[in-house]
Amino acid sequence: GAAAGEVGAAARPGKMLNAGLEKSLTKQGYKLVGSHSGVKLCRWTKAMLRGRGGCYKHTFYGIASYQCMEATPSLACANKCVFCWRHHKNPVGTKWRWEMDSPDTLVDGFMTKHRAMIKEMRGLPGVIPSRLEEASNIRHCALSLVGEPILYPEINTFLQRLHREGISSFLVTNAQFPEQMETLTPCTQLYISVDASNAAELKAIDRPLFSDYWPRFLACVDALARRQQRTVFRLTLVKGFNMAEAEGYAELIRRGRPDFVEVKGVTFTGGKRPQLGMKNVPWHAEVVAFTQHLCSLVSADYGLASEHAHSCAVLMAKHSFRKDGEWHTWIDFDRFLELSASGRPFGSLDYAARTPSWAVFGDPAAAPGDGGFDPAER
């Protein structure tokens, strides 16, 4: 009897986080939810609560940064990217092998803890009271905090619950799980991280756990091309690592046909033994020049649509998002939630909205170095 009991106990999956990891993540500002998930208050949420400008997703797509929650249903990942801002404190794995919390536990926990962090902003200098009130009405969820959200086995039920709560979903995957991408429910915007244009560079930058990482990556690019809703390639430029080979990226863009391509300079995250230094961080002008060159290689299908200089980020968009001479990269969030709830097929252009002139690339009214800064902010 005892032996059988021991076998049963051994077969039970363990918790993803141990006490040391929990302590480390809490120290970094995470609020942990259940045994494998976390939520954190983004600096842009704090900035927009003070009227000091939104993030690049505000400029590119029209989210209200002060109503955005940054979370992940899986702190584990299948890569150990050199620029990971978590300094590799998070667990790694090629499949789900841990105890699992329910989607309702996660969504309820995320919302409760996010609202508690918002409440802590009350009374801080510069916080706009009306925005603070609105901030407890969460409208967006960026599933890009850390880890690999698509690894969570109940990701579809989780996304559907978010949408029922009136919360849009921006899901970022590291493009190592093609099967999960194929079965993924519609989300507001699906990103894949395209950190390199060839197998050797991808191995050097993402340091993947899978030995067949490149075929998996290409299978995810192909899966993205088959999606009906909004899709994005996210390129993180690291000087000295991945800025030489624009043609390779152009080839991947032709293959994956994303609606949008975000090109962003890497953020220096410090740490005791940083993999990267400031020498690897490109200036905004360098990011613009790279994106202009990349766009020229796929100009039959894409144009330069928007920029956010404060984030060192530039947006390329398919020409289909240009109607009557105006870009429509913004999102009609209520329309997306309506379409998502309908159960009927729908596509990315069905919930596109006009991009305001201040958010358009090369806006002549922008102050130098302020491209994509919302003039309603200060």
Side-chain angles (χ1 to χ4, degrees), residues 15-16 22 44 55 73 93 109 148 184 192 206 208 246 252 261 263 275 292 308 315 317 321 331 333 337 351 374:
K15 287 190 187 299
M16 184 186 287
E22 284 188 12
W44 288 107
C55 67
E148 175 56 85
L184 191 70
I192 63 173
D206 282 3
L252 289 170
V261 180
V263 186
Q275 306 287 331
Q292 284 172 326
H308 190 246
L315 182 71
F321 285 86
I331 296 170
F333 292 102
L337 293 168
Y351 55 104
D374 186 344

Side-chain angles (χ1 to χ4, degrees), residues 135-310:
S136 62
N137 176 22
I138 304 161
R139 293 297 318 269
H140 318 289
C141 183
L143 296 160
S144 57
L145 186 56
V146 66
E148 175 56 85
I150 216 168
L151 194 55
Y152 175 53
E154 291 289 331
I155 188 66
N156 284 344
T157 312
F158 171 82
L159 288 169
Q160 287 155 4
R161 168 73 201 281
L162 278 180
H163 299 157
R164 282 201 306 277
E165 292 288 342
I167 299 171
S168 69
S169 52
F170 290 76
L171 191 152
V172 182
T173 172
N174 286 312
Q176 289 295 293
F177 295 95
E179 284 171 29
Q180 285 85 338
M181 274 190 71
E182 291 285 6
T183 57
L184 191 70
T185 200
C187 57
T188 313
Q189 195 154 278
L190 176 63
Y191 295 72
I192 63 173
S193 293
V194 180
D195 300 326
S197 60
N198 58 64
E201 278 184 2
L202 193 78
K203 188 170 189 181
I205 289 184
D206 282 3
R207 299 189 297 182
L209 264 61
F210 282 110
S211 56
D212 60 342
Y213 63 91
W214 188 247
R216 282 177 168 273
F217 175 77
L218 292 177
C220 288
V221 169
D222 293 340
L224 196 84
R226 292 189 285 272
R227 304 277 305 175
Q228 298 305 303
Q229 294 78 37
R230 292 169 69 111
T231 55
V232 187
F233 270 14
R234 173 184 280 182
L235 275 60
T236 301
L237 298 184
V238 188
K239 244 162 114 172
F241 275 88
N242 65 358
M243 287 182 70
E245 195 29 69
E247 180 50 53
Y249 288 112
E251 233 168 85
L252 289 170
I253 289 167
R254 292 181 203 113
R255 182 168 178 161
R257 302 193 299 278
D259 292 319
F260 305 98
V261 180
E262 291 178 4
V263 186
K264 198 173 180 299
V266 71
T267 304
F268 178 61
T269 54
K272 283 179 186 160
R273 286 176 301 179
Q275 306 287 331
L276 303 172
M278 287 307 291
K279 67 181 186 302
N280 302 113
V281 179
W283 295 97
H284 183 59
E286 293 173 300
V287 174
V288 169
F290 180 92
T291 313
Q292 284 172 326
H293 176 49
L294 177 61
C295 198
S296 73
L297 300 175
V298 289
S299 58
D301 299 304
Y302 294 86
L304 292 170
S306 186
E307 69 176 321
H308 190 246
H310 294 201

Side-chain angles (χ1 to χ4, degrees), residues 27-80:
K27 195 177 166 189
Q28 291 172 51
Y30 286 86
K31 303 295 178 192
L32 301 176
V33 173
S35 65
H36 54 74
S37 308
V39 63
K40 193 178 186 190
L41 206 57
C42 172
R43 74 181 182 95
W44 288 107
T45 301
K46 296 176 194 172
M48 207 171 186
L49 277 170
R50 292 186 162 109
R52 292 184 187 165
C55 67
Y56 75 92
K57 284 201 282 288
H58 170 61
T59 299
F60 292 178
Y61 313 121
I63 78 160
S65 304
Y66 62 91
Q67 290 178 298
C68 183
M69 170 171 83
E70 195 172 23
T72 182
S74 167
L75 288 155
C77 190
N79 287 351
K80 291 176 78 70

